Amino acid sequence: MRAVVIGNGTIGAAVQKTLVEHGHEVVAVGRTSGEFQADISDIESMRNLFARIGSFDAVANAAGDVFPSPLEQTTDEQWANSIAAKGMGQINVVRAALPHVADSGSFTLVSGVLTDEFTHAATIGTAVNHLVEGFVKAAATELPRGVRINCVSPTVLTESEAYYQYFPGFTPVPAAEVALAYLRAMSNPITGRILKLYKTDS
């Protein structure tokens, strides 16, 4: 499998490592680093990227920023930037890559624990995660040529100790475990699934 991995942060690096360890070829894409550079919030940047890469079998996205704030203090800019980056950004990845991905290829996007569990100042993150997950579930019914789409939903990462204070009482998950969920989504005949790396009480 030749896989395009977008995002060189903690999750993206772990996904790249896991795919290589399992014998797959990785094309690394970052905003400012990697084999190719592109911005997922810019649809033309995405179209140019996939036109340049050539043939590939899968896309794994681990990029997309959210700009949190208490609801009453949120700004138009925070909402717009969060939707553009993690929401429409990931939708644009699929739209731009679809003409180029191989038959029976796959897309794996990322949401997060805030879809189901809420913390302080989490409304933007929760709303954007629902946008992503709703897109994945619906797009799975429409993608042509046997192309699949899934979403990985991690909780706070073990490696991201600076974020523990924003997720009190949450059990962190190692990035390597998140990467295995990406591998699972990319390597098995599942589609429209949200692979959750956390437990809820619901």
Side-chain angles (χ1 to χ4, degrees):
M1 177 170 59
R2 186 171 192 244
V4 180
V5 180
I6 303 174
N8 292 320
T10 305
I11 293 177
V15 172
Q16 293 174 33
K17 181 174 183 291
T18 296
L19 289 173
V20 170
E21 289 174 348
H22 285 79
H24 302 298
E25 179 185 351
V26 169
V27 179
V29 178
R31 190 178 299 165
T32 59
S33 62
E35 189 176 346
F36 292 88
Q37 289 78 52
D39 180 356
I40 68 169
S41 67
D42 181 345
I43 184 65
E44 289 305 319
S45 177
M46 288 291 99
R47 287 173 176 150
N48 291 336
L49 168 71
F50 292 114
R52 297 198 318 268
I53 286 177
S55 61
F56 55 91
D57 305 291
V59 179
N61 183 70
D65 296 322
V66 170
F67 303 91
S69 182
L71 180 59
E72 288 185 314
Q73 299 170 27
T74 55
T75 65
D76 291 349
E77 184 179 31
Q78 285 172 316
W79 278 101
N81 289 344
S82 298
I83 292 169
K86 192 173 184 181
M88 278 306 303
Q90 296 198 86
I91 293 170
N92 286 342
V93 167
V94 176
R95 294 173 62 219
L98 187 56
H100 305 279
V101 70
D103 292 354
S104 301
S106 74
F107 295 99
T108 306
L109 307 186
V110 63
S111 57
V113 66
L114 295 180
T115 307
D116 296 312
E117 299 289 342
F118 312 121
T119 66
H120 297 292
T123 301
I124 292 179
T126 296
V128 173
N129 282 351
H130 276 281
L131 168 62
V132 174
E133 294 186 9
F135 171 76
V136 166
K137 292 173 183 177
T141 70
E142 294 193 57
L143 290 176
R145 301 184 287 111
V147 175
R148 300 177 296 104
I149 185 168
N150 296 287
C151 182
V152 173
S153 180
T155 186
V156 63
L157 300 178
T158 302
E159 295 85 350
S160 301
E161 293 185 21
Y163 289 93
Y164 287 6
Q165 61 182 312
Y166 303 111
F167 293 89
F170 286 66
T171 303
V173 62
E177 188 173 332
V178 179
L180 284 175
Y182 274 85
L183 178 65
R184 176 183 163 200
M186 299 164 74
S187 303
N188 293 286
I190 59 174
T191 192
R193 293 279 301 280
I194 312 300
L195 305 184
K196 299 181 180 182
L197 278 297
Y198 55 87
K199 297 178 181 179
T200 70
D201 59 1
S202 58

